[in-house]
């Protein structure tokens, strides 16, 4: 785990190494100051002159200033290293996620990935900051103060040999009890974020059904669940503080009482006033170092689960990869499904697609019909290799899709998915997702084919109109047409519309299909639709039921051969006729 995380330090190695070095100098100076003070006290007891006191004063001031400078520099380099480490870690995770397949995303869930990119990285950043500074400073201070304590106080320093093991045992027990709770808390954070994400995305539905109070109660219950576990974990970790305080004050009491007794009874022979004062300072430094070490352990304990969750993301390998010596050219838009079976997970009991044999010529227009759950979307997602087949193979341009370079394949297969997504930015910005180098003329042509140019021209800023996040300031039909135009700009060999004209009227739908037939005749077009009118003029129509192809043919052929198709056609036309009559 540490090795994986350390790869994200990169250009901040210098700051990460410099911080402990600066801290070391700071600690040495801090430990030397009580030694000088002890000598000064002894000199004053002996009746030294003011010049000697002045020399000691100058030396102490100089050491304090140098210690302050090194401490401040360590703070600056520590902040640079920890913030830079978090930046790289966040970047590495985001880049890794971009290479994930849908199967990888499904494994983690979107809300969990968001938590790992935010809360978990913040926890690891704080832990790293403490490790390279506090976790170096405290052990060094502990060792130097311990050595100096024995040099100055002799047997008096033996008290630390009892307190340190006691604290170590206590820390171990606290950490062992708290770690499982923190692990559970972070899993519940994922569920909490999932609830928030779902609510925000479905806000229009929530408000239309007046379910705000229900959502508030659901969120409140999830937040309370997190709070309970976190409170239990924090209560266990809180035991650490009184345990440390007890050891600190017990040590101080022992040093003061036994030290004072020794000074008085030995008349300064075994322990003098200067040594006594330095022992008090060293004992305080030792015990404060122990307290800080305990805080480091608390932070590391909290961040360990976060670190493991981050490493899970970084070590996860995409289930879809380009092969060696991959094909970098798609010959044409022909598609072949040969004995294809597919399921989304190895653990799934049933196939989402079964016994699929389908051969599509380049340039054909193919319609796909079927009820909800008939696996229409599953079928088309195998073509750009968003998922891999479980059995059989899918070929594009005569070659198995698994032999292509993924970027090459997906650049030639444009998919307008069922859930249309626009990003914040201008209309031009969104269109250039299809082709970053597209000219204004090319964008306008694509929009005319998608029947989007007409409504764009009605906006005051036309193609420079700002689109809000998710396309919330345009209608569903306008969003669909912009997404189709974006796909057309890729100039693909295969264009797939997954129910992507459901929000447009039948006239606009017909114009879009007419444009496809006239202006991109060589592009293979697959249109998934709910209404027969959207695919009626297709070269062939595929009817799907339960993940299988139940019938295939053109409109006239299916009317004669398929009872299911006939029922759908009759039902849709009867509804249309009734409406016209009204």
């Amino acid at each position: 785990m540490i090795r994986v995380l350390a790869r994200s330090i990169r250009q901040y190695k210098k700051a990460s190494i410099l911080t402990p070095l600066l801290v070391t100098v700071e600690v040495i100076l801090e430990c030397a100051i009580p030694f000088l003070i002890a000598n000064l006290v002894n000199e004053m007891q002996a009746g030294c002159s003011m010049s000697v006191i002045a020399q000691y004063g100058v030396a102490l001031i100089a050491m304090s200033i140098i210690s302050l400078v090194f401490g401040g520099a360590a703070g600056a380099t520590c902040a640079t290293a920890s913030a830079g480490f978090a930046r790289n870690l966040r970047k590495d995770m985001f880049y890794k996620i971009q290479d994930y397949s849908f199967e990888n995303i499904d494994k983690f869930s979107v809300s969990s990935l968001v938590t790992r990119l935010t809360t978990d990285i913040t926890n690891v950043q704080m832990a790293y900051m403490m490790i390279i500074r506090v976790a170096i400073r405290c052990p060094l201070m502990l060792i130097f103060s311990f050595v100096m304590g024995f040099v100055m106080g002799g047997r008096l320093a033996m008290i630390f040999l009892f307190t340190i093991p006691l604290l170590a045992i206590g820390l171990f027990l606290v950490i062992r009890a708290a770690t499982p709770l923190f692990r559970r808390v972070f899993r519940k954070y994922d569920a909490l974020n999932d609830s928030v994400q779902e609510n925000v995305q479905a806000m229009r539905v929530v408000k239309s059904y007046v379910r705000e109070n229900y959502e508030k109660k659901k969120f409140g219950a999830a937040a309370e669940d997190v709070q309970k576990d976190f409170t239990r974990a924090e209560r266990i970790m809180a035991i650490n503080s009184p345990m440390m305080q007890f050891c600190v004050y017990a040590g101080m009491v022992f040093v003061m009482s036994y030290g004072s007794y020794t000074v008085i009874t030995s008349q300064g022979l075994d322990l003098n006033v200067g040594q006594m004062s330095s022992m008090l300072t060293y004992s305080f430094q030792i015990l404060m170092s122990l307290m800080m070490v305990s805080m480091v352990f608390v932070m590391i304990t909290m961040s360990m689960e976060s670190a493991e969750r981050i490493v899970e993301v970084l070590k996860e390998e995409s289930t879809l990869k380009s092969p060696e010596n991959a094909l970098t050219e798609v010959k044409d838009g022909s598609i072949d499904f040969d004995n294809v079976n597919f399921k989304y997970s190895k653990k799934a009991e049933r196939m989402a697609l079964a016994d699929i044999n389908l051969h599509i010529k380049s340039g054909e227009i193919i319609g796909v019909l079927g009820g909800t759950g008939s696996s229409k979307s599953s079928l088309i997602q195998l073509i750009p290799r968003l998922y891999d087949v479980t059995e059989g193979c899918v070929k594009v341009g005569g070659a198995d899709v698994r032999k292509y370079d993924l970027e090459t394949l997906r650049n030639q297969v444009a998919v307008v998915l069922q859930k249309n997504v626009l990003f914040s930015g201008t209309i031009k910005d969104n269109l250039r997702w299809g082709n970053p180098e597209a000219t204004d003329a090319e964008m306008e042509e694509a929009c005319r084919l998608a029947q989007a140019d007409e409504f764009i021209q009605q906006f005051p800023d036309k193609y420079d109109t700002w689109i809000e996040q998710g396309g919330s300031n345009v209608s569903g039909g306008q969003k669909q047409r912009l997404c189709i135009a974006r796909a057309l700009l890729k100039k693909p060999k295969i264009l797939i519309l997954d129910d992507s004209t459901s929000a447009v009227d039948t006239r606009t739908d017909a114009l879009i299909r007419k444009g496809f037939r006239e202006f991109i005749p060589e592009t293979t077009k697959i249109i998934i639709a709910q209404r027969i009118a959207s695919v009626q003029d297709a070269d062939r129509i595929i009817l799907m039921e339960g993940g299988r192809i139940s019938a295939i043919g053109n409109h006239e052929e299916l009317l004669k051969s398929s009872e299911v198709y006939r029922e759908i056609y009759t039902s849709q036309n009867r509804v249309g006729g009734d409406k016209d009559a009204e």
Side-chain angles (χ1 to χ4, degrees), residues 33 36-37 39-41 43-44 48-65:
I33 287 172
L36 271 183
I37 292 174
N39 289 336
L40 174 59
V41 171
E43 290 282 356
M44 291 172 67
C48 67
S49 63
M50 285 299 297
S51 62
V52 174
I53 295 174
Q55 289 175 3
Y56 272 100
V58 170
L60 287 169
I61 291 170
M63 290 174 71
S64 299
I65 292 172

Side-chain angles (χ1 to χ4, degrees), residues 225-297:
D225 200 21
V226 171
Q227 178 228 334
K228 285 179 180 177
D229 275 354
F230 211 83
T231 301
R232 286 182 63 193
E234 289 289 352
R235 280 176 180 167
I236 293 172
M237 300 304 290
I239 296 171
N240 181 62
S241 181
M243 183 172 64
M244 288 292 163
Q245 293 286 347
F246 172 78
C247 290
V248 167
Y249 291 120
M252 294 288 286
V253 168
F254 177 82
V255 169
M256 290 182 70
S257 57
Y258 185 74
S260 300
Y261 173 79
T262 305
V263 171
I264 293 168
T265 55
S266 68
Q267 295 182 343
L269 295 176
D270 292 338
L271 188 72
N272 58 41
V273 176
Q275 289 174 309
M276 174 68 179
S277 66
S278 66
M279 271 302 298
L280 285 172
T281 304
Y282 286 131
S283 63
F284 184 76
Q285 286 180 343
I286 288 170
L287 296 167
M288 288 305 295
S289 296
L290 287 171
M291 288 187 69
M292 292 301 293
V293 166
S294 73
M295 288 178 60
V296 172
F297 271 104

Side-chain angles (χ1 to χ4, degrees), residues 406-423:
L406 275 172
E407 188 173 337
T408 298
L409 176 66
R410 290 174 183 172
N411 273 331
Q412 294 301 325
V413 182
V415 183
V416 183
L417 294 170
Q418 198 168 6
K419 293 182 179 179
N420 298 283
V421 177
L422 293 176
F423 299 88

